[in-house]
Amino acid sequence: MRLSTYSPTSLQVVALSTHCSVYSKRKRCIDILGALLGLSITSILFFPIVLAIKLDTPGPIFYTQQRCGLKGKRFRILKFRSMVTNAEQIKHLVKNEADGHIFKNRNDPRITRVGQFLRKTSLDELPQFFNVLQGDMSLVGTRPPTSDEVEQYSSFHFQRLNIKPGMTGEWQVYGRSNVENFDEIVRMDLNYQRKWSVGYDLLLLLKTIFVVVGKRGAY
């Protein structure tokens, strides 16, 4: 496969054809409608979540982080803060229990008490509906990687960047936090690309609801 340099980030991305789902008007309509519905729910839960975060630990309400989307394009992902404010600075003190280009720890001490609840219920991800509405993400897609993860990719891993990242996907429905091998996450992402259809997106969205309600595989 031919590699090309992605400017201005100097990341290498695989020059493959953009996935057909990116051009689907039906998928984009579902994203917009879903994002508007999600933001409506967020507005209802906003003040209780903000109050809980503020009473628990000092710091900002939201957490933003640079992620890589379609073809490596960088964007700022938005979440409710679930960690202490200096989480990135002390990350090196926490053991990485995952295998590959991701970071996971089942008992990460940087997660706050309220943050643990937000993560188990996936409420910390509600602000990402803004990312979906803006078009940087989709409701269903691949896991959005960080820039430092992408810098370590091989050509096999770059294929996951040929589609928009999603709030949910096969990794969320069939593995979630229980999947601790990065190559397995990539295989799920590529399997989603092969199987994609609007109907499959709707199926994954329905299954995501059951996974979130059941709090399966979250930490």
Side-chain angles (χ1 to χ4, degrees), residues 49 52-53 56-64 67 78-87 108-125 127-128 219:
I49 292 175
I53 293 174
D56 188 31
T57 57
I61 300 303
F62 296 107
Y63 169 75
T64 64
R67 297 292 182 97
L78 187 64
K79 295 184 178 184
F80 283 118
R81 182 174 62 86
S82 62
M83 287 188 172
V84 294
T85 55
N86 63 336
D108 196 323
R110 300 173 300 164
I111 301 176
T112 65
R113 288 174 300 175
V114 169
Q116 290 177 344
F117 173 78
L118 294 177
R119 288 187 170 211
K120 284 186 178 297
T121 56
S122 296
L123 291 175
D124 63 317
E125 298 183 1
Q128 290 178 43
Y219 63 82

Side-chain angles (χ1 to χ4, degrees), residues 41-88:
I41 296 173
T42 304
S43 67
I44 297 172
L45 301 175
F46 182 78
F47 288 108
I49 292 175
V50 167
L51 182 61
I53 293 174
K54 280 295 186 182
L55 292 176
D56 188 31
T57 57
I61 300 303
F62 296 107
Y63 169 75
T64 64
Q65 187 182 46
Q66 187 170 259
R67 297 292 182 97
C68 292
L70 178 65
K71 292 294 183 180
K73 178 184 176 182
R74 295 186 179 188
F75 69 98
R76 304 296 299 186
I77 199 170
L78 187 64
K79 295 184 178 184
F80 283 118
R81 182 174 62 86
S82 62
M83 287 188 172
V84 294
T85 55
N86 63 336
E88 288 300 317

